[in-house]
Amino acid sequence: MSYFTIRKEACAEFEERKSVFIGHAKRVETESEAKEFVEKIKKEHKDATHNVYAYIVGRDMLIQKCTDDGEPQGTAGVPVLDVIKKNGITDVAIVVTRYFGGILLGTGGLVRAYSKGASEAVNESGIVEKVLGVQITIILNYELLGKLQYHFSIKNWHIEDILYTDKVEIKFNFESQYLDKIKKEISEICSGKCEFKIDKEGYYFKSENRLISS
């Protein structure tokens, strides 16, 4: 099972008819974290005209909330929430701050501006897939190291760490669904002369052929 979220906290700023809009996005794990982020941005921009927010939390995307924060109903919070939905991401909180510049934007203008603020914040954050994975440690004798490293290179598998003691320990991350297949493949290369340690399953960021701990 996998899902998509954003990689990092980020913000993006632009001006629309003299109003300044600042989109802030952060990856969150719980609704409490989402609320804390919203409050943080509100405090940082307490002199702003509006701090509109929306968030979706949970791999099932069941926790969803948005607010217009004083803008006409449906012109701010819902467009921000729609940006999250259209990108197919979750565990995301977005706040779009507005400093009013004296020119009214109208209903359509507000929807476009708040959508843009949210979209640009998401683009700055970067969308990433998270997958269930495990860290695998292979324990083997030194004479098998070169053979296994060569196999990793042709497969384009990323080695996270190598420890040298009386034996060699190779650590790498892999998707849980392929665990049995990987163990079998490596055992065949090592003619069964290796041991495996499997860490607790968890969610990792997926970047091409590498899983990165989140």
Side-chain angles (χ1 to χ4, degrees):
M1 181 180 178
S2 67
Y3 65 97
F4 290 86
T5 185
I6 56 175
R7 181 182 294 278
K8 62 181 181 179
E9 183 175 347
C11 65
E13 180 178 327
F14 68 94
E15 186 175 315
E16 183 70 29
R17 300 183 69 183
K18 296 187 177 181
S19 281
V20 175
F21 290 85
I22 310 169
H24 317 263
K26 183 178 181 181
R27 178 167 46 85
V28 295
E29 301 293 335
T30 64
E31 187 172 16
S32 294
E33 285 185 26
K35 290 178 178 178
E36 287 173 7
F37 176 64
V38 171
E39 290 306 312
K40 173 190 169 187
I41 299 301
K42 283 184 175 181
K43 287 179 181 178
E44 290 177 358
H45 296 277
K46 58 185 178 182
D47 56 338
T49 317
H50 305 281
N51 283 294
V52 170
Y53 71 84
Y55 57 76
I56 296 180
V57 180
R59 292 189 293 277
D60 51 13
M61 304 178 78
L62 291 179
I63 301 173
Q64 300 185 12
K65 188 173 181 179
C66 66
T67 179
D68 294 309
D69 193 35
E71 293 283 29
Q73 186 175 0
T75 63
V78 170
V80 173
L81 187 65
D82 283 345
V83 167
I84 300 175
K85 290 179 177 179
K86 287 175 182 176
N87 278 286
I89 53 180
T90 188
D91 287 352
V92 178
I94 296 177
V95 183
V96 181
T97 299
R98 181 190 184 188
Y99 287 90
F100 183 55
I103 300 176
L104 298 175
L105 300 183
T107 300
L110 287 172
V111 171
R112 287 190 294 274
Y114 280 104
S115 295
K116 181 178 179 180
S119 294
E120 291 195 357
V122 169
N123 289 338
E124 286 294 321
S125 299
I127 295 176
V128 65
E129 184 179 10
K130 292 191 78 174
V131 300
L132 273 175
V134 292
Q135 182 169 90
I136 304 170
T137 301
I138 310 166
I139 305 168
L140 67 161
N141 293 326
Y142 278 82
E143 62 266 22
L144 294 170
L145 177 59
K147 189 175 183 180
L148 200 56
Q149 284 179 313
Y150 175 73
H151 188 75
F152 269 66
S153 67
I154 62 174
K155 287 284 190 174
N156 198 25
W157 294 345
H158 182 84
I159 295 174
E160 298 295 331
D161 195 15
I162 301 180
L163 300 178
Y164 301 95
T165 57
D166 57 323
K167 290 193 173 185
V168 183
E169 295 186 10
I170 298 176
K171 297 180 182 292
F172 68 107
N173 304 325
F174 225 89
E175 290 184 57
S176 300
Q177 61 178 322
Y178 302 121
L179 178 58
D180 290 340
K181 179 182 177 182
I182 294 302
K183 287 175 65 177
K184 181 180 178 183
E185 187 171 335
I186 291 172
S187 291
E188 289 175 353
I189 293 167
C190 297
S191 301
K193 297 177 181 179
C194 63
E195 300 174 37
F196 296 95
K197 288 182 182 178
I198 310 299
D199 280 1
K200 185 178 179 181
E201 187 177 58
Y203 275 93
Y204 292 76
F205 291 127
K206 185 175 182 179
S207 178
E208 296 181 347
N209 284 355
R210 184 183 180 188
L211 299 191
I212 303 170
S213 176
S214 59

